[in-house]
Amino acid sequence: MKTIQVATTVNGDGAEFVCGHDETLLDALRNRLGLTGAKEGCGTGDCGACSVRLDDRLVCSCLVLAVEAEGARIDTIEGLAQGETLHPLQQSFIDLAALQCGICTPGILVAAKALLDRNPEPTDTEIRYWLAGNLCRCTGYDKIVRAVQDAAAKMRSA
């Protein structure tokens, strides 16, 4: 199998890996770079558990080829916190019990961060619309929406 060297930026740091031409970005993140936050829930882009940002676009990493990351900037759940300091979204999810099993949580947090970067004051409807590509089988969505609203308020007042 032919392999390809990919140079990219992940969570602000330069990264290089070698992958097969048909390897997904999700597999490269997990198996080549050791970033296991993004989860494979469905492998078809329907659940959002593998959501990452690729050059500021929210994508399902199970649907993107790893070679497409060449020269790109990737943001994953691992880059959300600043050292030991949790991002307000992470803290709000903990404080408001907006997670249970945790499979969907990384993708939802990445998607919510993308939303708040674009719209720091979203309505509940906008949050639900934005997170429609992220499925949760445990919590329902009310606590998730409340946690995003709580984080948005904290971020606005900071």
Side-chain angles (χ1 to χ4, degrees):
M1 166 164 59
K2 182 180 176 187
T3 59
I4 301 164
Q5 175 125 1
V6 176
T8 188
T9 302
V10 180
N11 299 323
D13 296 322
E16 292 187 18
F17 58 88
V18 175
C19 63
H21 70 283
D22 60 348
E23 187 171 335
T24 67
L25 179 57
L26 174 62
D27 287 339
L29 289 170
R30 293 180 62 81
N31 301 329
R32 308 281 182 201
L33 298 177
L35 298 172
T36 58
K39 309 294 187 224
E40 182 168 358
C42 66
T44 59
D46 293 318
C47 74
C50 66
S51 295
V52 300
R53 288 172 75 174
L54 182 66
D55 286 336
D56 287 327
R57 282 187 7 241
L58 187 61
V59 299
C60 291
S61 61
C62 71
L63 297 180
V64 175
L65 293 175
V67 297
E68 293 179 74
E70 174 64 35
R73 188 180 78 249
I74 302 166
D75 296 303
T76 71
I77 187 64
E78 286 89 352
L80 203 56
Q82 298 298 315
E84 297 295 315
T85 304
L86 295 179
H87 186 277
L89 277 164
Q90 293 169 307
Q91 192 61 57
S92 291
F93 268 61
I94 291 167
D95 294 345
L96 299 175
L99 63 135
Q100 286 184 17
C101 82
I103 295 295
C104 68
T105 307
I108 289 174
L109 287 169
V110 168
K113 171 77 165 62
L115 168 63
L116 295 181
D117 285 349
R118 288 177 185 237
N119 180 0
E121 204 165 345
T123 65
D124 286 359
T125 300
E126 290 169 327
I127 293 169
R128 289 178 185 278
Y129 178 79
W130 190 267
L131 297 181
N134 297 85
L135 303 179
C136 175
R137 293 183 170 182
C138 297
T139 64
Y141 298 92
D142 290 336
K143 289 182 180 182
I144 292 169
V145 171
R146 279 196 297 272
V148 174
Q149 286 289 22
D150 183 67
K154 289 176 184 172
M155 292 168 67
R156 286 190 306 271
S157 67

